[in-house]
Amino acid sequence: MKRTLIKILAGFVLVLFPFLTPQLISFASEYGVETKHWSNARYDRTYLSPDPKIIKEAVVQVMAARTWGWRGSFAVHTWISVKAANAPGFTRYEVIGWRHTPLTIRFGVPDNYWAGNRPFLITDIRGQKAADIIGKLNNVVDRYPYKDSYKVWPGPNSNTFIAYISREIPELELDLPPTAIGKDYLAGDGVIGTPVSGRGVQFSAGGYGGFAFSPVEGLEFHLLGLTTGFDYGDMVLKLPGFGRVPLL
């Protein structure tokens, strides 16, 4: 009986090690870092998005930024900003947990700091391909089943929303970072579906665990919202807390 218990505990350690170890290191690296109150954090533009007065072609951009405070060692917040051809500015789509209606659509502010954290581009698509994506976007957003729902973990949250859009519009070819907790929450309480890119196969137990295999994302394993895996196309390790770690 004792040996059986030891084997079970050893098995748990082996399973949890690749998920919890990088996450704990990431958390420890941020612990004790002085942070301002969220109300004093930066929210100004970063100018990652082009000037609509200069760039007339259609533009689609998906961005992410670390979330506020200690949660930033675990997760990012993602959103999508689009500009139709010859449009005077960007329209931004995202889910924000503290709003009365989480699904938010705003004109302007496509690329601002998020609670003091500088965003980074996940994808930047322009021209006719961007125009085609924009033509589908509003219908997809209208069908999103969790407009009035938000749950930090395991979802549906801001990353669930962007992942839903990407699954419905695979032309985006999104590979959301491992830190996009909530991306693996399948809409409609599904168990079998496609990864975020819309290509391949994914199994998800309500966002608490599962796996994905795709020519875009590579091989991923999911546990408690955390992702570890290997993108063999880009030779990148996917680690909780750290995100994408290039091997070359």
Side-chain angles (χ1 to χ4, degrees):
M1 181 66 181
K2 186 176 180 180
R3 288 185 177 180
T4 301
L5 181 59
I6 291 174
K7 289 180 180 179
I8 292 173
L9 290 174
F12 273 117
V13 170
L14 288 174
V15 170
L16 293 175
F17 183 82
F19 292 93
L20 296 185
T21 301
Q23 183 58 73
L24 289 172
I25 294 172
S26 174
F27 180 77
S29 68
E30 297 293 330
Y31 185 77
V33 176
E34 183 179 356
T35 58
K36 299 178 181 179
H37 190 268
W38 65 266
S39 61
N40 296 321
R42 295 184 66 175
Y43 288 92
D44 53 304
R45 285 199 60 187
T46 58
Y47 298 96
L48 286 172
S49 299
D51 186 344
K53 295 179 181 178
I54 299 174
I55 304 300
K56 300 299 183 180
E57 64 181 343
V59 179
V60 172
Q61 293 183 317
V62 177
M63 296 189 188
R66 291 279 177 170
T67 56
W68 172 253
W70 63 267
R71 295 180 182 86
S73 68
F74 289 83
V76 296
H77 169 74
T78 56
W79 65 91
I80 183 169
S81 296
V82 303
K83 182 191 79 68
N86 300 311
F90 282 82
T91 300
R92 173 168 167 165
Y93 301 78
E94 64 190 321
V95 164
I96 302 176
W98 63 78
R99 290 183 178 269
H100 177 68
T101 302
L103 178 58
T104 304
I105 302 174
R106 294 180 288 169
F107 183 76
V109 292
D111 55 4
N112 60 295
Y113 281 82
W114 181 258
N117 295 310
R118 183 178 177 83
F120 58 91
L121 274 168
I122 297 176
T123 192
D124 186 334
I125 302 171
R126 308 193 182 192
Q128 187 57 50
K129 183 177 179 180
D132 293 342
I133 291 171
I134 293 170
K136 300 176 180 179
L137 184 59
N138 281 329
N139 285 334
V140 171
V141 171
D142 285 342
R143 296 197 303 269
Y144 181 62
Y146 307 113
K147 297 182 182 69
D148 300 316
S149 301
Y150 184 90
K151 190 175 182 180
V152 173
W153 176 86
N157 57 26
S158 62
N159 300 318
T160 308
F161 173 62
I162 298 302
Y164 176 85
I165 291 174
S166 183
R167 289 185 176 99
E168 295 293 309
I169 310 178
E171 296 92 324
L172 281 165
E173 296 184 355
L174 276 187
D175 182 3
L176 291 181
T179 45
I181 292 176
K183 68 182 176 66
D184 303 309
Y185 187 95
L186 297 177
D189 299 321
V191 176
I192 301 294
T194 63
V196 174
S197 66
R199 300 175 61 188
V201 63
Q202 177 175 353
F203 169 81
S204 177
Y208 292 102
F211 65 87
F213 181 72
S214 165
V216 178
E217 285 97 339
L219 179 63
E220 293 184 351
F221 296 96
H222 313 132
L223 182 66
L224 303 177
L226 304 177
T227 295
T228 186
F230 177 59
D231 181 348
Y232 46 83
D234 295 331
M235 294 299 291
V236 166
L237 278 178
K238 297 184 173 186
L239 297 175
F242 291 95
R244 294 172 59 87
V245 180
L247 296 178
L248 298 178

